[in-house]
Amino acid sequence: MQRDILIVGAGIFGASIAFHLARAGLGERVLLLERGQPAGGATSRAAALLTQVRDDPALIALVQETFRAIATLEDEFAEDVGRRTVGALHAGPATQADALRAIAAHAARFGIAGEWLEGDAARTAVSRRAPWLAPEQAACAVFFPDECFVEPYLLSTAYQRAAGQLGVKLRLDSDVCAIRHADGQTQSVELTDGTLLPASIVINAAGAWANLLSVPLGLPLPMAPVRSQYWISEPAECFPRDGAIVLLPEIRAYARPEVGALLFGVREKTPVAADPRTLPADLAGFVFDPDDAEGWNNLAEGADYLLPYFPRLESLGIAHYITGPSNYTPDGRLILGRHPDIGGLFVATGCNGNGIAFSGGVGRFIADLVCDRPGFLPADLAAGFAPARVGQFDPFSPEFLNACAATRSKKRSG
Ligand SMILES: Cc1cc2nc3c(=O)[nH]c(=O)nc-3n(C[C@H](O)[C@H](O)[C@H](O)COP(=O)(O)OP(=O)(O)OC[C@H]3O[C@@H](n4cnc5c(N)ncnc54)[C@H](O)[C@@H]3O)c2cc1C
């Protein structure tokens, strides 16, 4: 049988979409196209926090779908995605009590179990779950026991393997240069080696490169690749292996255990966006700022915020610096849905630095659309993700790139 549903990009979005289409019974029709290594783009670089507690109800629903998808991968496909359910501690000094209580109340409205901690209870929780945290900066906290992190490469390839068991085929060395259409309908995908693959449905899940395929189709996507980054310390006794994820809303910082060390990120004074036309296909060795390739200037800036919370940072060695592109949108919303004028053409991108956490929801969202079945999100929430919501604009202009970078500086954490 001719495979007529083509997905461009085997990052975590493409892999999850393939899995969800296969679960809907379409596996034999799906071909997943990748030009490099599956999960070799942004996906393998992620810190991969899976946190449900978010301001936006639509985003909470997406993450909750990811939890469901992981349970299915573990229970029905015997996959190990490296899930570590260590819980997340949202903490701050006493001045942050009202803000933290508001987070606890908001989470409770969405059925997310959380425990309010202050005084001795906060001190005990911090010394047990995050002894590196200065106690006076964690005078109050909310602990969400079900939050977790995963190994992003394992989760992405688990979606892909499970999709394979259900009939999906992966085609490597497939560098898509154009999506062809005629009479308002998707017709085929063209590869750089000249191969033409017929298609009635194409899903653009090409990550930071998605605009290179979408702009020629008259649909500029409102997003740009913005530098994401974090650091991993040297191991130390103050980082328990079963320590919690820590979110510090006041300084927009996050941390999680990393085999006896600490992985952490912090609010950036100067987020940087790149013109996607300048991004190499292979991200190995790519840095946004060649003058600060190892991230030391950024760490020094972030340390101003971080040191009061994390005094050991001053004397601690840094073992690794990880950086890569995440697609930020000026309104902070994903880009999920149909091309408004070309039948059979769909887009799934605009992760805003949280695509691992959103992956299950993204896969289900697109599978619902392709199968023409009712979506799992209320229509008004789903409409916020519409790819054409901004209309015509230049997604490569410096002003637009700056607007996308600004979204990262407003990002709360996680
Ligand atoms: C440093 C860092 C930390 C992060 N931390 C977190 C976190 O804690 N939690 C979280 O949820 N998210 C996190 N993220 C974000 C997360 O990694 C991304 O949201 C997610 O990986 C996006 O997946 P994707 O499939 O859209 O993109 P990608 O993984 O980049 O996949 C896109 C794929 O498309 C392929 N492709 C592109 N163009 C073509 C073409 N023309 N033809 C064929 N193939 C093509 C690419 O080769 C690539 O494999 C982080 C990201 C970074 C960089």
Side-chain angles (χ1 to χ4, degrees), residues 8-9 34-35 40-43 45 176 204-215 221 223 225 275-283 286 325 327 349 396:
V8 184
E34 173 56 52
R35 65 180 172 194
T43 295
R45 291 163 169 78
V176 176
N204 179 354
W209 302 269
N211 247 327
L212 306 184
L213 296 172
S214 197
V215 168
L221 304 173
M223 67 171 203
D275 181 331
R277 295 171 298 187
T278 66
L279 271 190
D282 181 353
L283 293 175
F286 171 76
N327 294 311
T349 186
F396 307 134

Side-chain angles (χ1 to χ4, degrees), residues 28-163:
E28 301 290 338
R29 289 176 57 189
V30 176
L31 188 61
L32 180 57
L33 304 172
E34 173 56 52
R35 65 180 172 194
Q37 285 296 318
T43 295
S44 56
R45 291 163 169 78
L49 306 186
L50 251 72
T51 50
Q52 305 165 81
V53 179
R54 318 231 158 208
D55 294 339
D56 183 341
L59 301 184
I60 295 175
L62 292 180
V63 182
Q64 291 181 333
E65 279 303 314
T66 306
F67 276 69
R68 274 183 212 109
I70 290 175
T72 304
L73 291 169
E74 290 171 341
D75 297 346
E76 293 181 30
F77 294 86
E79 290 286 351
D80 177 0
V81 302
R83 182 197 325 216
R84 301 280 315 283
T85 305
V86 291
L89 203 56
H90 295 233
T95 51
Q96 286 287 298
D98 288 349
L100 289 163
R101 278 189 194 281
I103 291 173
H106 176 69
R109 281 195 286 279
F110 292 90
I112 304 168
E115 187 187 352
W116 174 253
L117 302 164
E118 59 190 333
D120 282 348
R123 270 187 292 279
T124 306
V126 167
S127 68
R128 148 90 181 79
R129 300 183 193 281
W132 53 270
L133 199 51
E136 68 280 8
Q137 301 292 354
C140 46
V142 203
F143 182 62
F144 297 103
D146 297 331
E147 305 285 53
C148 68
F149 62 91
V150 296
E151 170 50 57
Y153 178 83
L154 290 184
L155 176 56
S156 190
T157 51
Y159 281 131
Q160 192 192 302
R161 266 191 304 277

Side-chain angles (χ1 to χ4, degrees), residues 12-386:
I12 202 159
F13 279 8
S16 173
I17 293 164
F19 172 67
H20 283 83
L21 287 171
R23 294 277 288 176
L26 299 180
E28 301 290 338
R29 289 176 57 189
V30 176
L31 188 61
L32 180 57
L33 304 172
E34 173 56 52
R35 65 180 172 194
Q37 285 296 318
T43 295
S44 56
R45 291 163 169 78
L49 306 186
L50 251 72
T51 50
Q52 305 165 81
V53 179
R54 318 231 158 208
D55 294 339
D56 183 341
L59 301 184
I60 295 175
L62 292 180
V63 182
Q64 291 181 333
E65 279 303 314
T66 306
F67 276 69
R68 274 183 212 109
I70 290 175
T72 304
L73 291 169
E74 290 171 341
D75 297 346
E76 293 181 30
F77 294 86
E79 290 286 351
D80 177 0
V81 302
R83 182 197 325 216
R84 301 280 315 283
T85 305
V86 291
L89 203 56
H90 295 233
T95 51
Q96 286 287 298
D98 288 349
L100 289 163
R101 278 189 194 281
I103 291 173
H106 176 69
R109 281 195 286 279
F110 292 90
I112 304 168
E115 187 187 352
W116 174 253
L117 302 164
E118 59 190 333
D120 282 348
R123 270 187 292 279
T124 306
V126 167
S127 68
R128 148 90 181 79
R129 300 183 193 281
W132 53 270
L133 199 51
E136 68 280 8
Q137 301 292 354
C140 46
V142 203
F143 182 62
F144 297 103
D146 297 331
E147 305 285 53
C148 68
F149 62 91
V150 296
E151 170 50 57
Y153 178 83
L154 290 184
L155 176 56
S156 190
T157 51
Y159 281 131
Q160 192 192 302
R161 266 191 304 277
Q165 283 187 37
L166 298 172
V168 171
K169 209 163 166 244
L170 170 68
R171 190 183 196 280
L172 294 174
D173 300 320
S174 302
D175 188 3
V176 176
C177 59
I179 298 167
R180 302 269 173 230
H181 61 100
D183 303 324
Q185 189 58 42
T186 304
Q187 300 285 322
S188 60
V189 150
E190 184 181 346
L191 305 185
T192 46
D193 65 6
T195 306
L196 218 52
L197 300 169
S200 57
I201 290 173
V202 174
I203 298 143
N204 179 354
W209 302 269
N211 247 327
L212 306 184
L213 296 172
S214 197
V215 168
L217 298 166
L219 180 61
L221 304 173
M223 67 171 203
V226 174
R227 177 183 61 198
S228 282
Q229 57 186 358
Y230 58 82
W231 294 264
I232 301 174
S233 74
E234 298 283 5
E237 73 294 341
C238 58
F239 306 132
R241 282 166 188 258
D242 60 349
I245 296 167
V246 172
L247 298 164
L248 302 169
E250 193 185 22
I251 60 166
R252 298 194 194 114
Y254 66 88
R256 69 158 170 84
E258 176 70 8
V259 282
L262 194 74
L263 178 161
F264 64 94
V266 65
R267 181 208 309 221
E268 286 162 41
K269 287 183 182 157
T270 47
V272 186
D275 181 331
R277 295 171 298 187
T278 66
L279 271 190
D282 181 353
L283 293 175
F286 171 76
V287 288
F288 279 79
D289 178 0
D291 293 334
D292 188 23
E294 312 246 310
W296 291 116
N297 296 345
N298 269 274
L299 179 57
E301 281 180 8
D304 292 348
Y305 301 117
L306 211 46
L307 273 171
Y309 288 83
F310 181 19
R312 272 297 299 278
L313 178 61
E314 197 145 43
S315 57
L316 203 64
I318 297 296
H320 302 286
Y321 169 62
I322 310 291
T323 181
S326 289
N327 294 311
Y328 280 80
T329 57
D331 58 10
R333 311 200 117 239
L334 287 102
I335 302 172
L336 301 176
R338 303 171 190 276
H339 191 295
D341 305 317
I342 303 175
L345 190 50
F346 299 83
V347 184
T349 186
C351 67
N352 283 281
N354 288 283
I356 310 301
F358 298 150
S359 60
V362 166
R364 178 157 173 209
F365 188 102
I366 297 293
D368 287 344
L369 280 182
V370 169
C371 297
D372 220 3
R373 60 190 184 196
F376 71 99
L377 283 179
D380 57 325
L381 296 186
F385 297 141

